[in-house]
Amino acid sequence: MKYWLFLFAAILSEVTATSSLKASAGFTKAIPSVIVVVGYALSFYFLSLVLKAIPIGIAYAVWAGLGIVLLALVGWVVFGQALDTPAIIGIALILAGVIIMNVFSKTVAH
């Protein structure tokens, strides 16, 4: 269970870093730039811990998939970026894939 918490921490760190990347304005703003570097460092640190117990393909698929979904939500809520119907369908399919892997795959350690 703790490795899934580490994976969630990795995802949140990556989402925070990527959101701050936009706010850093090409690394011209100091505080968002520091958040980017620290966020990515934390994300990869937690991901490295996760890989001790969860297969790399599963961990990366969950990390990337949920990161995409959360960043789309951040883009919509924080930055006012609209999503069209095909984008929403694509994101829903990514989320469905993550759920299917976690619920039905025997590869995933719970």
Side-chain angles (χ1 to χ4, degrees), residues 45-64:
Y45 170 72
F46 283 119
L47 187 60
S48 73
L49 296 177
V50 168
L51 297 179
K52 292 179 180 181
I54 300 173
I56 191 169
I58 300 299
Y60 193 77
V62 172
W63 183 61

mmCIF file of all heavy atoms in Angstrom, residues 45-64:
data_model
loop_
_atom_site.group_PDB
_atom_site.id
_atom_site.type_symbol
_atom_site.label_atom_id
_atom_site.label_comp_id
_atom_site.label_asym_id
_atom_site.label_seq_id
_atom_site.Cartn_x
_atom_site.Cartn_y
_atom_site.Cartn_z
ATOM 1 N N TYR A 45 12.075 10.939 -7.620
ATOM 2 C CA TYR A 45 12.486 10.247 -6.394
ATOM 3 C C TYR A 45 11.395 9.263 -5.962
ATOM 4 O O TYR A 45 11.667 8.087 -5.722
ATOM 5 C CB TYR A 45 12.776 11.250 -5.272
ATOM 6 C CG TYR A 45 12.962 10.579 -3.935
ATOM 7 C CD1 TYR A 45 14.113 9.837 -3.661
ATOM 8 C CD2 TYR A 45 11.978 10.648 -2.958
ATOM 9 C CE1 TYR A 45 14.277 9.186 -2.441
ATOM 10 C CE2 TYR A 45 12.143 10.011 -1.734
ATOM 11 C CZ TYR A 45 13.287 9.281 -1.483
ATOM 12 O OH TYR A 45 13.442 8.641 -0.284
ATOM 13 N N PHE A 46 10.147 9.750 -5.875
ATOM 14 C CA PHE A 46 9.055 8.869 -5.465
ATOM 15 C C PHE A 46 8.836 7.746 -6.477
ATOM 16 O O PHE A 46 8.566 6.609 -6.102
ATOM 17 C CB PHE A 46 7.761 9.660 -5.244
ATOM 18 C CG PHE A 46 7.728 10.415 -3.954
ATOM 19 C CD1 PHE A 46 7.614 11.801 -3.944
ATOM 20 C CD2 PHE A 46 7.815 9.760 -2.738
ATOM 21 C CE1 PHE A 46 7.581 12.508 -2.747
ATOM 22 C CE2 PHE A 46 7.786 10.451 -1.533
ATOM 23 C CZ PHE A 46 7.677 11.831 -1.542
ATOM 24 N N LEU A 47 8.965 8.065 -7.770
ATOM 25 C CA LEU A 47 8.816 7.026 -8.784
ATOM 26 C C LEU A 47 9.891 5.958 -8.615
ATOM 27 O O LEU A 47 9.619 4.761 -8.772
ATOM 28 C CB LEU A 47 8.863 7.628 -10.188
ATOM 29 C CG LEU A 47 8.565 6.682 -11.342
ATOM 30 C CD1 LEU A 47 7.164 6.072 -11.224
ATOM 31 C CD2 LEU A 47 8.723 7.392 -12.674
ATOM 32 N N SER A 48 11.109 6.356 -8.257
ATOM 33 C CA SER A 48 12.166 5.364 -8.047
ATOM 34 C C SER A 48 11.846 4.451 -6.869
ATOM 35 O O SER A 48 12.173 3.263 -6.896
ATOM 36 C CB SER A 48 13.518 6.055 -7.839
ATOM 37 O OG SER A 48 13.598 6.661 -6.571
ATOM 38 N N LEU A 49 11.193 4.979 -5.835
ATOM 39 C CA LEU A 49 10.774 4.141 -4.705
ATOM 40 C C LEU A 49 9.682 3.160 -5.124
ATOM 41 O O LEU A 49 9.676 2.003 -4.704
ATOM 42 C CB LEU A 49 10.275 5.012 -3.548
ATOM 43 C CG LEU A 49 11.288 5.948 -2.891
ATOM 44 C CD1 LEU A 49 10.612 6.781 -1.813
ATOM 45 C CD2 LEU A 49 12.470 5.173 -2.338
ATOM 46 N N VAL A 50 8.769 3.643 -5.949
ATOM 47 C CA VAL A 50 7.655 2.817 -6.421
ATOM 48 C C VAL A 50 8.163 1.593 -7.168
ATOM 49 O O VAL A 50 7.629 0.490 -7.028
ATOM 50 C CB VAL A 50 6.730 3.664 -7.328
ATOM 51 C CG1 VAL A 50 5.738 2.802 -8.085
ATOM 52 C CG2 VAL A 50 6.012 4.728 -6.523
ATOM 53 N N LEU A 51 9.231 1.782 -7.942
ATOM 54 C CA LEU A 51 9.726 0.702 -8.793
ATOM 55 C C LEU A 51 10.342 -0.451 -8.015
ATOM 56 O O LEU A 51 10.638 -1.498 -8.582
ATOM 57 C CB LEU A 51 10.724 1.261 -9.812
ATOM 58 C CG LEU A 51 10.117 2.274 -10.784
ATOM 59 C CD1 LEU A 51 11.183 2.780 -11.743
ATOM 60 C CD2 LEU A 51 8.927 1.698 -11.528
ATOM 61 N N LYS A 52 10.481 -0.306 -6.716
ATOM 62 C CA LYS A 52 10.935 -1.418 -5.868
ATOM 63 C C LYS A 52 9.854 -2.488 -5.745
ATOM 64 O O LYS A 52 10.157 -3.642 -5.478
ATOM 65 C CB LYS A 52 11.306 -0.916 -4.470
ATOM 66 C CG LYS A 52 12.526 -0.036 -4.434
ATOM 67 C CD LYS A 52 12.789 0.429 -3.015
ATOM 68 C CE LYS A 52 14.016 1.316 -2.944
ATOM 69 N NZ LYS A 52 14.291 1.764 -1.571
ATOM 70 N N ALA A 53 8.583 -2.099 -5.922
ATOM 71 C CA ALA A 53 7.494 -3.038 -5.672
ATOM 72 C C ALA A 53 6.490 -3.170 -6.823
ATOM 73 O O ALA A 53 5.815 -4.177 -6.923
ATOM 74 C CB ALA A 53 6.735 -2.619 -4.408
ATOM 75 N N ILE A 54 6.382 -2.157 -7.652
ATOM 76 C CA ILE A 54 5.390 -2.176 -8.730
ATOM 77 C C ILE A 54 6.138 -2.276 -10.057
ATOM 78 O O ILE A 54 7.108 -1.550 -10.276
ATOM 79 C CB ILE A 54 4.514 -0.898 -8.683
ATOM 80 C CG1 ILE A 54 3.771 -0.819 -7.346
ATOM 81 C CG2 ILE A 54 3.527 -0.872 -9.844
ATOM 82 C CD1 ILE A 54 3.005 0.475 -7.121
ATOM 83 N N PRO A 55 5.715 -3.168 -10.956
ATOM 84 C CA PRO A 55 6.394 -3.299 -12.252
ATOM 85 C C PRO A 55 6.465 -1.960 -12.985
ATOM 86 O O PRO A 55 5.518 -1.162 -12.950
ATOM 87 C CB PRO A 55 5.519 -4.299 -13.012
ATOM 88 C CG PRO A 55 4.804 -5.070 -11.958
ATOM 89 C CD PRO A 55 4.594 -4.111 -10.827
ATOM 90 N N ILE A 56 7.574 -1.728 -13.665
ATOM 91 C CA ILE A 56 7.835 -0.435 -14.297
ATOM 92 C C ILE A 56 6.751 -0.044 -15.309
ATOM 93 O O ILE A 56 6.348 1.115 -15.378
ATOM 94 C CB ILE A 56 9.243 -0.411 -14.942
ATOM 95 C CG1 ILE A 56 9.611 1.012 -15.353
ATOM 96 C CG2 ILE A 56 9.343 -1.383 -16.096
ATOM 97 C CD1 ILE A 56 11.069 1.172 -15.749
ATOM 98 N N GLY A 57 6.274 -0.998 -16.088
ATOM 99 C CA GLY A 57 5.251 -0.687 -17.085
ATOM 100 C C GLY A 57 3.950 -0.230 -16.447
ATOM 101 O O GLY A 57 3.311 0.716 -16.918
ATOM 102 N N ILE A 58 3.563 -0.895 -15.380
ATOM 103 C CA ILE A 58 2.335 -0.532 -14.672
ATOM 104 C C ILE A 58 2.508 0.815 -13.978
ATOM 105 O O ILE A 58 1.660 1.704 -14.087
ATOM 106 C CB ILE A 58 1.959 -1.621 -13.641
ATOM 107 C CG1 ILE A 58 1.733 -2.967 -14.321
ATOM 108 C CG2 ILE A 58 0.762 -1.198 -12.808
ATOM 109 C CD1 ILE A 58 0.620 -2.996 -15.340
ATOM 110 N N ALA A 59 3.630 0.974 -13.269
ATOM 111 C CA ALA A 59 3.871 2.236 -12.546
ATOM 112 C C ALA A 59 3.893 3.415 -13.508
ATOM 113 O O ALA A 59 3.264 4.448 -13.249
ATOM 114 C CB ALA A 59 5.186 2.154 -11.773
ATOM 115 N N TYR A 60 4.583 3.258 -14.621
ATOM 116 C CA TYR A 60 4.690 4.367 -15.567
ATOM 117 C C TYR A 60 3.353 4.649 -16.242
ATOM 118 O O TYR A 60 3.000 5.813 -16.463
ATOM 119 C CB TYR A 60 5.778 4.089 -16.606
ATOM 120 C CG TYR A 60 6.120 5.329 -17.385
ATOM 121 C CD1 TYR A 60 6.929 6.310 -16.813
ATOM 122 C CD2 TYR A 60 5.627 5.547 -18.658
ATOM 123 C CE1 TYR A 60 7.245 7.463 -17.503
ATOM 124 C CE2 TYR A 60 5.927 6.694 -19.353
ATOM 125 C CZ TYR A 60 6.736 7.653 -18.783
ATOM 126 O OH TYR A 60 7.025 8.795 -19.470
ATOM 127 N N ALA A 61 2.600 3.604 -16.553
ATOM 128 C CA ALA A 61 1.294 3.802 -17.172
ATOM 129 C C ALA A 61 0.350 4.565 -16.240
ATOM 130 O O ALA A 61 -0.359 5.481 -16.665
ATOM 131 C CB ALA A 61 0.682 2.459 -17.568
ATOM 132 N N VAL A 62 0.343 4.194 -14.966
ATOM 133 C CA VAL A 62 -0.509 4.890 -13.993
ATOM 134 C C VAL A 62 -0.013 6.317 -13.794
ATOM 135 O O VAL A 62 -0.792 7.267 -13.785
ATOM 136 C CB VAL A 62 -0.555 4.121 -12.647
ATOM 137 C CG1 VAL A 62 -1.270 4.928 -11.578
ATOM 138 C CG2 VAL A 62 -1.226 2.761 -12.841
ATOM 139 N N TRP A 63 1.302 6.480 -13.657
ATOM 140 C CA TRP A 63 1.910 7.801 -13.455
ATOM 141 C C TRP A 63 1.581 8.734 -14.623
ATOM 142 O O TRP A 63 1.103 9.840 -14.427
ATOM 143 C CB TRP A 63 3.421 7.613 -13.316
ATOM 144 C CG TRP A 63 4.227 8.843 -13.027
ATOM 145 C CD1 TRP A 63 4.133 9.652 -11.938
ATOM 146 C CD2 TRP A 63 5.281 9.371 -13.815
ATOM 147 N NE1 TRP A 63 5.071 10.650 -12.009
ATOM 148 C CE2 TRP A 63 5.798 10.501 -13.153
ATOM 149 C CE3 TRP A 63 5.869 8.985 -15.027
ATOM 150 C CZ2 TRP A 63 6.848 11.251 -13.656
ATOM 151 C CZ3 TRP A 63 6.921 9.740 -15.519
ATOM 152 C CH2 TRP A 63 7.392 10.858 -14.837
ATOM 153 N N ALA A 64 1.821 8.260 -15.826
ATOM 154 C CA ALA A 64 1.570 9.085 -17.008
ATOM 155 C C ALA A 64 0.075 9.303 -17.236
ATOM 156 O O ALA A 64 -0.364 10.430 -17.511
ATOM 157 C CB ALA A 64 2.201 8.437 -18.232
#
